[in-house]
Amino acid sequence: MNRKKIILGSGIVTFIIGFIFISLASWFLNMSAGGDNAPTFEFLSVMGLWSLLGLALVAIGVIVILLIKFEK
């Protein structure tokens, strides 16, 4: 297989996994916000870490995709 295609595929997979992390963190925060069970500080800090991890993975995926696409 071509090396460029493997790197591009890993960038796309990284982007998708990061997007899933961000989506799950947002969904969990929205589900815990309503009702009697108010989110605790520990819960918010963990969801913040998941969001930051997701943002980092999305950024890495975008950078890899752009570098491979614009490479000569």
Side-chain angles (χ1 to χ4, degrees):
M1 242 180 137
N2 194 0
R3 181 178 177 265
K4 254 179 132 175
K5 288 183 182 180
I6 293 173
I7 294 173
L8 180 64
S10 67
I12 291 171
V13 168
T14 305
F15 178 82
I16 292 171
I17 290 172
F19 188 76
I20 290 171
F21 280 177
I22 294 171
S23 299
L24 282 175
S26 299
W27 184 71
F28 283 138
L29 283 173
N30 285 333
M31 295 305 283
S32 70
D36 295 331
N37 53 349
T40 61
F41 176 74
E42 292 84 17
F43 181 76
L44 290 176
S45 64
V46 169
M47 287 299 110
L49 292 175
W50 280 95
S51 295
L52 285 176
L53 178 64
L55 285 173
L57 288 174
V58 166
I60 291 169
V62 167
I63 290 169
V64 167
I65 292 168
L66 290 176
L67 285 176
I68 291 297
K69 284 294 185 181
F70 294 122
E71 186 179 277
K72 290 185 177 183

